[in-house]
Amino acid sequence: MSGYEEDASRRRGADGDVPPPPRVVALGGGHGLYSSLSALRRVTTDVTAVVTVADDGGSSGRLRRELGVLPPGDLRMALAALCGDDEWGSTWTEVVQHRFRSEGELHGHAVGNLLIVALWELLGDSVAGLDWVGQLLGAHGRVLPMSSVPLDIVAEVEGADPARPDEVVTVRGQVACASTRGRVRSISLIPDQPPVPGQVLRAVREADWVVFGPGSWFTSVLPHLLVPDLARALVATSARRVVVLNLSPQRGETDDFAAHTYLEVLAGHAPELGVDVVLADRKGVEDAVRLERVAGGLGAELVLDDLAVADGTPRHDPERLAAAFDRILLG
């Protein structure tokens, strides 16, 4: 049961009607999107994940190269995050996340990746295939690909060669960009005007809230803003926008980033995008005054909360993040 359903009684109007759940679109990929979706499904019954499709490593990369399909891994993780906590949901989460271990060709492939690709081949429709997997899993929401074609991320990287710290080189591919030894200055996409499923644009247009992050900033969050049709929809939507900051820098991709740096990079890649709320972990912010000033420059209110797991590792706690979303989205 979602937090929205649990608290419906306190939100009843004078006529006894319960307002509809907020329509939320969450953007990202990988573990960051998994965290936000695990929290959001506890807050609303109407959540749509829009997932990056640029992965070129591991099982996803192998399937992409061999079959010419969208990389399914981040889509699989998003579906798993939307599974419930009951026996059905927890069982299917384990199934789709399970990876084969062998000495043969199946080694490293995730069951969910193969299931998704099988449905794509049978149905010839990436969105319909994901909807069928979502129904099987009992997912509390919908998962959509950011583009209907696979993408490549191209990064301008400074200091990739320690012997030439001021040299800027071009790095291509999500894995290469995420693991570079240099500092990523900017990214672009190939193709630069990829097609966007109509269901994605409709979800953004009809949303009450759009959530960016957390996640790998250059390879999971920012790519959404570089797809022209999607970027225009994100700027034009009447939805309010929340940016969830990472708990710590990501080695290689965002080395030495302070909390405010994420917002500065976001503004640099999408100067027309307004932001309503910036959500950050209070213990992970070294300079709250500067962060508030940068957030204010984007038109956003800064909300600091306790979001990390209690063991001190840089991971978002789904219950704490859900509580923060509840106060922001439903307060």
Side-chain angles (χ1 to χ4, degrees):
M1 179 179 292
S2 72
Y4 178 85
E5 292 168 324
E6 290 178 347
D7 293 341
S9 59
R10 71 178 174 86
R11 298 189 177 95
R12 291 186 186 276
D15 56 2
D17 291 336
V18 178
R23 294 165 294 188
V24 180
V25 172
L27 308 172
H31 294 284
L33 181 60
Y34 186 96
S35 295
S36 62
L37 294 175
S38 297
L40 285 167
R41 69 172 172 80
R42 292 167 162 83
V43 177
T44 180
T45 56
D46 192 341
V47 57
T48 299
V50 178
V51 185
T52 52
V53 287
D55 193 2
D56 59 354
S59 171
S60 287
R62 290 161 60 192
L63 291 167
R64 173 180 175 173
R65 289 187 293 273
E66 182 175 344
L67 301 174
V69 296
L70 296 173
D74 285 353
L75 296 160
R76 179 201 81 243
M77 287 190 65
L79 285 163
L82 291 172
C83 286
D85 295 322
D86 57 2
E87 183 179 8
W88 183 273
S90 60
T91 299
W92 276 109
T93 296
E94 291 183 11
V95 170
V96 298
Q97 297 284 59
H98 176 76
R99 290 186 183 273
F100 293 105
R101 296 288 179 261
S102 73
E103 300 298 324
E105 293 297 321
L106 277 177
H107 178 74
H109 276 306
V111 172
N113 289 357
L114 301 179
L115 176 62
I116 290 169
V117 172
L119 279 162
W120 285 344
E121 290 197 342
L122 288 170
L123 300 175
D125 186 321
S126 58
V127 170
L130 292 168
D131 285 343
W132 273 98
V133 178
Q135 290 179 54
L136 174 64
L137 272 57
H140 296 240
R142 194 180 194 189
V143 173
L144 299 172
M146 178 179 72
S147 170
S148 53
V149 299
L151 303 176
D152 278 334
I153 296 174
V154 178
E156 298 298 312
V157 179
E158 182 178 26
D161 182 351
R164 302 182 178 88
D166 297 325
E167 182 181 55
V168 177
V169 298
T170 299
V171 175
R172 178 168 177 169
Q174 179 172 319
V175 172
C177 295
S179 59
T180 179
R181 298 174 64 185
R183 177 169 182 151
V184 178
R185 295 177 53 176
S186 64
I187 62 166
S188 57
L189 297 178
I190 298 176
D192 60 0
Q193 297 194 49
V196 179
Q199 297 91 332
V200 170
L201 301 178
R202 183 165 58 250
V204 171
R205 184 171 60 247
E206 297 176 353
D208 299 307
W209 291 87
V210 174
V211 178
F212 297 86
S216 300
W217 216 244
F218 287 101
T219 54
S220 291
V221 179
L222 293 181
H224 294 80
L225 298 167
L226 301 180
V227 176
D229 287 345
L230 179 54
R232 283 190 287 269
L234 290 168
V235 169
T237 181
S238 61
R240 302 189 70 194
R241 305 170 189 87
V242 183
V243 175
V244 184
L245 298 184
N246 291 344
L247 298 173
S248 64
Q250 180 177 347
R251 185 175 181 181
E253 190 169 319
T254 54
D255 281 333
D256 302 322
F257 265 39
H260 63 267
T261 313
Y262 294 96
L263 298 182
E264 292 169 346
V265 170
L266 179 72
H269 283 78
E272 297 180 354
L273 184 74
V275 179
D276 296 282
V277 179
V278 172
L279 176 61
D281 180 70
R282 70 174 84 251
K283 296 178 181 177
V285 176
E286 295 180 358
D287 189 342
V289 173
R290 184 168 183 182
L291 177 59
E292 186 169 28
R293 183 168 65 249
V294 175
L298 299 176
E301 171 193 2
L302 174 62
V303 176
L304 299 178
D305 213 327
D306 295 318
L307 306 176
V309 293
D311 64 10
T313 57
R315 294 179 296 119
H316 284 88
D317 182 286
E319 296 289 350
R320 290 181 172 181
L321 187 55
F325 277 141
D326 185 272
R327 288 187 285 271
I328 293 169
L329 275 57
L330 304 175

